[in-house]
Amino acid sequence: MAIRWIRIYVSAIQIFCVLINTDVFVSSVCLEDIFSFIRSSKACAFRKADFDNISNDETKRCQIGCSILSTVPLYSEMNNKNVYKMSGIKLSLLSCQYTSWLPTHCNDATGLTINIGCGGKFISNRGIRESCVSDTQCENGTTNSMCNETSEVCECKKGYLFLWESNTCSPSK
């Protein structure tokens, strides 16, 4: 039991190390689906099949794509006969090493815990050569920049050059 609680509080890097030696459950999921699930009444009474429904299929396009790194208890120990409660989610934005605990309204510290990792391309202020999904993210990070729709990376707008010294997009002369 103590090992389960320790896993909840380890950093994202340590999670990867722990997972190498345990039952690994990795699945892609949309962050918006996870948030909807933990805010719903299902978070306090669900079966394994309900949990499986939040994992996205390859055809679904997420606003924010993440991976379920692990669950406590282990996913392989879950079954459709038991009813589970979710205590919360440990969310790690891997690109900026930010981790946060998101509890559910179930008030059950012994319920299911999910560890998820997200790339971070949805963060509002993105710099040049950082991943993005909208022009606003890039413009908030660097004036005169935009999000390249093809590469999903921030770059200077046409007619501007990136200056490494000042970290700005300056008009080309």
Side-chain angles (χ1 to χ4, degrees):
M1 186 67 164
I3 292 174
R4 287 184 181 171
W5 286 109
I6 292 170
R7 280 194 213 151
I8 293 171
Y9 296 105
V10 294
S11 68
I13 294 171
Q14 289 169 322
I15 289 171
F16 291 118
C17 295
V18 169
L19 288 175
I20 290 171
N21 298 315
T22 62
D23 177 22
V24 179
F25 170 67
V26 178
S27 175
S28 61
V29 66
C30 294
L31 187 59
E32 55 269 26
D33 292 344
I34 287 277
F35 283 151
S36 294
F37 189 81
I38 66 171
R39 286 189 215 121
S40 73
S41 59
K42 274 199 180 209
C44 299
F46 66 94
R47 298 190 187 285
K48 184 179 180 181
D50 297 321
F51 180 74
D52 290 340
N53 287 336
I54 63 173
S55 294
N56 69 345
D57 60 31
E58 296 301 317
T59 61
K60 184 172 182 181
R61 212 164 134 84
C62 300
Q63 290 178 345
I64 304 164
C66 301
S67 295
I68 297 175
L69 304 174
S70 67
T71 62
V72 179
L74 296 174
Y75 178 78
S76 63
E77 295 174 359
M78 295 171 65
N79 61 55
N80 277 320
K81 289 186 267 178
N82 292 344
V83 175
Y84 299 94
K85 277 186 185 179
M86 188 178 298
S87 58
I89 294 174
K90 182 177 180 183
L91 171 65
S92 299
L93 302 180
L94 303 175
S95 65
C96 61
Q97 298 175 348
Y98 170 80
T99 300
S100 179
W101 173 251
L102 306 170
T104 63
H105 64 281
C106 304
N107 297 323
D108 184 3
T110 62
L112 175 72
T113 299
I114 303 174
N115 297 313
I116 63 173
C118 304
K121 67 180 178 181
F122 54 90
I123 296 171
S124 60
N125 298 334
R126 304 301 287 165
I128 299 300
R129 294 194 176 161
E130 290 185 333
S131 58
C132 59
V133 292
S134 74
D135 289 338
T136 306
Q137 294 172 291
C138 301
E139 187 70 30
N140 287 344
T142 307
T143 304
N144 299 318
S145 65
M146 62 177 221
C147 184
N148 181 314
E149 290 180 11
T150 306
S151 64
E152 294 186 332
V153 172
C154 292
E155 59 185 38
C156 291
K157 291 179 180 176
K158 221 174 222 180
Y160 292 85
L161 297 172
F162 184 66
L163 302 176
W164 287 102
E165 303 82 26
S166 60
N167 202 28
T168 59
C169 290
S170 182
S172 57
K173 295 180 183 182

